[in-house]
Amino acid sequence: MISKVYDTLPEEAAMIRRAVFMDEQGFVQEFDETDHLARHIVLFDGETPVAVCRFFPGDTPGDYIVGRIAVMKPYRSRGLGAEVLRAAENAAAALHGNTIRLHAQISAKGFYEKQGYAAYGEEDLDEDCPHIWMRKTLTA
């Protein structure tokens, strides 16, 4: 797999997010102003875009937020979610990031725990889907 980082939302990332979050999961408000501020990472299998995420600076120096992690259905259970997340962590660390946070769907909490993230705060709803904030300290 090859990963590419974009400063603007590429069509490949938008296509994956529409397929996973809107078509499969029923989210309506998938695209937002953060897409204009974030960097976007797309994993490719040859020429085929298969996984995506975005990341952007948080409220304090060294804090980054990653989100919109999605893997196309035929490519799931191959470790690509972890791979695209690691790419975001590495990119944030290269920008002197020391903490990375994400707003996880409760159904994916175990996946993020396996990647070293710890939940904090209370569960909340995003478009009626339960979520929780999670964070991880980045190492150099």
Side-chain angles (χ1 to χ4, degrees):
M1 297 294 157
I2 295 174
S3 66
K4 294 183 182 178
V5 181
Y6 299 86
D7 290 332
T8 58
L9 178 66
E11 181 50 40
E12 295 90 345
M15 180 270 303
I16 293 171
R17 287 171 50 186
R18 276 192 298 274
V20 173
F21 294 120
M22 298 177 85
D23 298 343
E24 286 182 39
Q25 298 181 8
F27 286 95
V28 176
Q29 300 172 14
E30 173 53 26
F31 300 97
D32 59 23
E33 287 302 312
T34 301
D35 284 322
H36 303 293
L37 308 171
R39 292 186 178 174
H40 303 268
I41 298 175
V42 180
L43 287 185
F44 290 87
D45 180 12
E47 297 292 316
T48 305
V50 298
V52 66
C53 74
R54 71 180 186 185
F55 73 99
F56 53 95
D59 296 335
T60 60
D63 178 45
Y64 282 85
I65 298 171
V66 66
R68 302 304 205 264
I69 298 170
V71 178
M72 294 296 287
K73 202 169 200 172
Y75 287 86
R76 293 185 191 149
S77 300
R78 297 185 191 184
L80 299 183
E83 188 173 334
V84 76
L85 180 58
R86 273 192 309 276
E89 292 170 355
N90 292 338
L95 295 169
H96 307 290
N98 51 38
T99 304
I100 199 154
R101 298 183 295 130
L102 53 85
H103 196 221
Q105 292 183 21
I106 294 299
S107 62
K109 183 180 174 198
F111 164 78
Y112 291 114
E113 288 172 336
K114 288 177 186 172
Q115 309 310 313
Y117 287 78
Y120 68 94
E122 300 293 321
E123 288 184 21
D124 58 84
L125 296 177
D126 184 351
E127 289 195 51
D128 295 322
C129 178
H131 281 66
I132 186 114
W133 280 99
M134 301 183 80
R135 70 178 150 231
K136 177 180 182 178
T137 300
L138 298 173
T139 55

